[in-house]
Amino acid sequence: MGAIVDPSQLPSATRARFAVLFTIVSLLAFGVGEEAAPFFNRDQTGTNALYNGALSMLAVLGAGTLYYLFHSLVRSRSFGKCQTLERGDALESAILEICKRFSLNPPVLLVDNDIRNYDAIAFGFPWRKVILMGRGLRLLYRKSPQEFNARLAHELGHIRNGDIATTFLAEGLVVAGLTFLTLFYLHELLSFVATLVNGWHQWSAAGDSFVRFLADWAFWISRAVVAMLGNTLIAGLWALVLLSEHRSFLRLREFYADIASARAFGPKALKETLGGDQPNPPWYARFLAAHPTVQWRKSVIDRPALLYEPTVARLARLGYVVGMLIAVFGTIHDLPDVDARGSMVVFLKLAFTTIPGAIILVILMTVTLPPAIAIGSLVFRTAAWIELDQRPFTEKALKCLKAVAALVATIWCGLLINPINLAQIIRNPSFAVTRIVDWRADAALVLITALQLVVALPLGSLIIRRLLTAPKETPPRTTTWFFLGVSFYLSIAYIGGGFGELLDPSVPDWLTGIVVLLYMFALSSPWLLMCYLIARRSLKFELLPTSCLAPWVCYTQKL
Amino acid sequence: MANPADDELALEFGRVLTEQISPDEGPFYDELITAYRSPIPARRDRTLAFGVSPDSVLALALLEVGKVVLQGIWSVLQPMLSGLVHDSADALRAELSEKLKDWIKSKFKKPIPVTIKPDDVQNILTSVREAAARQGMNESQIAEVTKTLTQALAS
């Protein structure tokens, strides 16, 4: 019998989900910055629009990082006044014991003064992690040490799972993104009001009536109002996408921390401290909640494989982001002298001949990598779910199909109805006509992507499942790895259009072609790396039907 | 229970009950009562917190139980007090308060300073059970409270 493995020890979706959030914030800053450009160049066309977008993105990412660097100051005051736990305190000894179990360095321990507060929060930096506890935990420690351990193991689970850095950096990015969005919206609103007031001042100076002013400006006002309504819709859509992903990301952290706690002290103590089932809050409260409902937490504690399930909601969110990303790539056509045919090559030439072009290339590469990582992570987790979930295979296959259908539908949805397209339609209504005319091209693109996903996702999952369960005597052959890597690389390259460009006889030089290939390789490299890491494990999962500690613990068998 | 002396008596009664029924809460009794008497801050859904807090603090429920028991005792004594002139009634009431305080502080080990008929004891215990249920105590806790008070009132 080998080492004990539990789902919390498997690669979590933390980094992949953080990466997707990073992409959304980057796209928001890029898309809004391209259109509004309130801080940079006022020229909103062609290359300038791209520069504006790129600079806005850097500004938002910088602001998010600053928020993260200062989050500790705010978090330490979350419960009001607090003090460092004295050395030798009984609580400290109990926490140090849990740290030993998790092989963690002890964090800084703070405690507040409110006896009613049984909560605790984790925050800090990789070099200074902090647990802030409510004074009520002191009482809980006396009344029910097991419940105290379960709660603290949950918090230390956050630290062990690496949640602190990703969560607060993500929060910083979301706050910066939403602030930027609000500034953009206010800027547009104030510009509208200022123009109206200036116009009226000039009009009244000439002695004309307000009614005549309104009649004369009616067309401008109606267009401005439509634009404002459009901007409201855009801001709302961005906020919806961002909050949906962010809150879901936070809830996922809680599940992993619960699993870490249940793994350390058993599910009973954790379920007891979660208390009895509570009435289901309304949908909007569930949507915005940072914690899942108690019932949901308990069901995941009982069946952690649920975390790996490719649900419709999870894939729909990812699909929409991928669709938006493709739409952003469409803005490359805004570059001067770039036509639809040779866009990638001409863009890359610009990227290697101008500094701003290079910056834009780096940014685009940065935002395209996360979805690639997320899809790779999704394939892995689907494989783990197929292996761990005890439901019939047909039921699991049906769930996979539903999820893939949701992924495909939302890629299309993200491609067609996204804030970037809406902004373009507001700026130039004829763009809507172009989009409608181009729907067949979009449909073809989505269909090709869908076919790739329908084949690639289950196939990839099955291949990885095979690799996970393969006996050591017959490990995957080099050709298998080569085939896996090359097939994924080719599909990415195909989606990106790199090969299309290379095969085009009008391509002027091979250097650009090689750069395209390297770019595509960079896209596929996280997936290849993940495949290697999975293979190195060579694990055989065995669900243990009953166990005094946790019924879902898996054992690995040395093969 | 508007009288400050009665409040103090109820507080002491709650403390002794807490020490006997939920001894872990004993050292925190005063802190708990003060904290729960102040407005409860809105619960916030904080990032990377545990997210759920237990609401079951027995000390508060036991304070309420103490109030109910004292009310029961005073209502038993009321006919005796009403037959006296005002000053004498106040003096007797103060004296009884002191004796009850002694009885409470002895953790009900001293005999109860007043005689309560078995029917009145039953009435008080019925009121206690109702109050305890209203405070959210479970069946076993109510049974424990009833047992403790039966012994205390019968002593």
Side-chain angles (χ1 to χ4, degrees):
Chain A
M1 191 67 74
I4 294 172
V5 168
D6 72 89
S8 68
Q9 287 176 332
L10 295 172
S12 74
T14 305
R15 281 159 192 82
R17 293 295 295 272
F18 171 75
V20 171
L21 203 59
F22 175 87
T23 294
I24 297 173
V25 174
S26 304
L27 289 181
L28 183 156
F30 190 85
V32 174
E34 236 188 357
E35 291 303 317
F39 313 115
F40 307 111
N41 200 320
R42 291 291 308 169
D43 186 356
Q44 295 173 3
T45 57
T47 320
N48 279 335
L50 285 173
Y51 294 164
N52 284 330
L55 286 170
S56 302
M57 193 169 135
L58 287 176
V60 168
L61 296 182
T65 310
L66 267 181
Y67 179 99
Y68 168 66
L69 292 175
F70 287 97
H71 85 275
S72 199
L73 288 176
V74 182
R75 289 287 147 185
S76 60
R77 290 174 178 81
S78 296
F79 297 159
K81 278 187 182 173
C82 63
Q83 53 276 324
T84 311
L85 199 68
E86 282 177 22
R87 284 206 168 270
D89 193 294
L91 296 194
E92 192 197 34
S93 311
I95 292 166
L96 291 182
E97 200 58 42
I98 306 172
C99 286
K100 265 187 203 165
R101 286 198 187 202
F102 284 157
S103 306
L104 279 177
N105 289 327
V108 175
L109 299 170
L110 303 175
V111 64
D112 83 340
N113 299 320
D114 186 0
I115 194 72
R116 289 171 299 189
N117 186 4
Y118 293 83
D119 215 341
I121 54 173
F123 60 89
F125 304 100
W127 57 91
R128 187 181 183 272
K129 288 149 186 162
V130 183
I131 298 278
L132 170 61
M133 296 179 284
R135 186 168 158 73
L137 286 171
R138 206 178 266 287
L139 174 58
L140 187 69
Y141 176 69
R142 288 176 69 103
K143 285 175 80 173
S144 172
Q146 277 302 310
E147 286 190 41
F148 172 86
N149 284 340
R151 278 173 181 259
L152 265 295
H154 172 99
E155 291 309 315
L156 290 166
H158 278 308
I159 292 179
R160 196 194 72 168
N161 296 344
D163 291 347
I164 290 179
T166 48
T167 303
F168 290 106
L169 196 51
E171 192 168 278
L173 293 178
V174 170
V175 169
L178 289 176
T179 309
F180 183 69
L181 195 63
T182 311
L183 286 175
F184 151 72
Y185 189 76
L186 283 177
H187 174 264
E188 295 293 298
L189 190 68
L190 289 175
S191 299
F192 168 65
V193 173
T195 311
L196 207 62
V197 170
N198 278 340
W200 164 241
H201 274 293
Q202 286 173 7
W203 201 268
S204 60
D208 276 326
S209 73
F210 186 66
V211 177
R212 282 199 61 190
F213 166 73
L214 282 182
D216 201 70
W217 278 59
F219 180 69
W220 182 86
I221 290 172
S222 62
R223 284 206 53 177
V225 167
V226 169
M228 286 308 300
L229 288 174
N231 284 336
T232 311
L233 187 68
I234 291 167
L237 199 54
W238 273 123
L240 185 72
V241 173
L242 196 55
L243 286 174
S244 164
E245 183 60 30
H246 179 233
R247 304 318 273 183
S248 162
F249 170 76
L250 291 182
R251 289 191 291 271
L252 191 68
R253 306 294 82 245
E254 300 306 328
F255 286 130
Y256 282 118
D258 278 348
I259 288 175
S261 172
R263 175 72 184 83
F265 293 101
K268 190 169 171 275
L270 183 62
K271 287 203 297 197
E272 266 172 20
T273 202
L274 280 169
D277 288 353
Q278 290 163 357
N280 239 356
W283 66 268
Y284 53 86
R286 289 202 303 275
F287 173 78
L288 290 174
H291 288 81
T293 59
V294 170
Q295 289 91 314
W296 198 3
R297 286 171 81 168
K298 283 182 181 173
S299 59
V300 171
I301 292 166
D302 287 334
R303 289 171 56 208
L306 285 174
L307 275 188
Y308 294 82
E309 190 177 314
T311 62
V312 167
R314 280 176 203 158
L315 268 75
R317 274 194 296 268
L318 180 61
Y320 191 79
V321 174
V322 172
M324 276 207 305
L325 196 62
I326 298 171
V328 166
F329 266 95
T331 60
I332 289 172
H333 296 286
D334 286 349
L335 280 168
D337 306 323
V338 175
D339 59 25
R341 230 170 96 74
S343 59
M344 181 62 87
V345 172
V346 177
F347 170 67
L348 284 171
K349 281 190 86 168
L350 277 175
F352 283 95
T353 50
T354 61
I355 291 172
I359 293 169
I360 290 168
L361 174 69
V362 170
I363 287 171
L364 285 176
M365 281 180 70
T366 310
V367 295
T368 46
L369 272 175
I373 294 170
I375 290 173
S377 164
L378 178 76
V379 172
F380 171 78
R381 279 178 290 119
T382 305
W385 173 70
I386 290 172
E387 189 60 27
L388 293 172
D389 199 294
Q390 288 170 312
R391 278 176 285 186
F393 183 77
T394 46
E395 204 177 312
K396 289 190 275 193
L398 196 66
K399 268 200 166 286
C400 271
L401 272 177
K402 271 187 198 169
V404 170
L407 183 70
V408 172
T410 46
I411 287 178
W412 198 356
C413 184
L415 190 62
L416 290 174
I417 307 163
N418 62 66
I420 295 144
N421 276 359
L422 284 175
Q424 281 179 314
I425 290 168
I426 290 166
R427 200 173 62 192
N428 177 19
S430 63
F431 180 76
V433 181
T434 316
R435 293 304 301 167
I436 292 164
V437 171
D438 283 351
W439 76 271
R440 281 181 193 159
D442 286 339
L445 182 63
V446 171
L447 197 65
I448 291 166
T449 314
L451 282 172
Q452 285 174 338
L453 288 170
V454 166
V455 176
L457 195 63
L459 193 67
S461 302
L462 287 172
I463 290 170
I464 292 173
R465 181 181 178 274
R466 170 82 186 90
L467 295 176
L468 285 168
T469 53
K472 224 172 190 173
E473 292 75 38
T474 55
R477 283 176 297 183
T478 317
T479 46
T480 313
W481 287 110
F482 181 77
F483 170 74
L484 268 173
V486 167
S487 61
F488 190 75
Y489 166 59
L490 284 176
S491 62
I492 289 280
Y494 176 72
I495 293 168
F499 261 82
E501 302 297 350
L502 266 184
L503 296 172
D504 190 333
S506 66
V507 173
D509 61 81
W510 280 94
L511 180 66
T512 314
I514 289 165
V515 170
V516 173
L517 286 172
L518 285 175
Y519 173 54
M520 297 308 163
F521 182 76
L523 276 181
S524 57
S525 56
W527 194 86
L528 294 174
L529 182 68
M530 198 180 298
C531 285
Y532 169 71
L533 290 174
I534 294 164
R536 214 175 52 168
R537 285 171 173 259
S538 296
L539 302 175
K540 185 176 193 305
F541 290 111
E542 276 185 1
L543 274 171
L544 217 64
T546 51
S547 158
C548 56
L549 187 61
W552 39 261
V553 164
C554 310
Y555 279 78
T556 59
Q557 204 165 1
K558 291 250 179 183
L559 298 165
Chain B
M1 209 165 277
N3 189 340
D6 288 349
D7 271 348
E8 201 189 322
L9 219 50
L11 207 60
E12 281 305 313
F13 204 110
R15 185 195 310 282
V16 172
L17 275 183
T18 304
E19 280 166 3
Q20 295 197 353
I21 289 163
S22 180
D24 293 326
E25 288 182 19
F28 300 92
Y29 179 77
D30 289 322
E31 201 179 345
L32 282 168
I33 299 300
T34 313
Y36 280 91
R37 276 178 175 173
S38 58
I40 297 171
R43 195 171 286 171
R44 289 182 61 189
D45 189 16
R46 292 188 175 88
T47 305
L48 297 195
F50 186 77
V52 180
S53 277
D55 290 323
S56 53
V57 175
L58 272 181
L60 294 171
L62 294 172
L63 172 65
E64 293 305 315
V65 165
K67 284 180 185 174
V68 170
V69 174
L70 287 170
Q71 264 172 359
I73 293 173
W74 284 123
S75 63
V76 168
L77 296 173
Q78 196 56 39
M80 187 172 77
L81 291 171
S82 60
L84 297 171
V85 290
H86 189 68
D87 285 351
S88 305
D90 281 354
L92 183 59
R93 192 181 172 90
E95 193 185 331
L96 283 171
S97 281
E98 277 305 310
K99 284 182 177 172
L100 283 171
K101 201 172 183 178
D102 276 353
W103 171 64
I104 293 165
K105 283 200 167 172
S106 73
K107 298 183 179 172
F108 314 127
K109 282 181 183 134
K110 285 185 182 175
I112 186 164
V114 291
T115 312
I116 306 173
K117 289 179 200 159
D119 285 354
D120 290 332
V121 171
Q122 281 312 312
N123 288 341
I124 292 172
L125 291 177
T126 308
S127 307
V128 161
R129 275 192 286 269
E130 284 168 7
R134 273 200 306 276
Q135 293 295 320
M137 290 170 75
N138 61 37
E139 282 302 319
S140 66
Q141 288 166 339
I142 293 173
E144 205 177 339
V145 168
T146 313
K147 189 181 158 196
T148 308
L149 289 175
T150 309
Q151 286 169 356
L153 295 171
S155 62

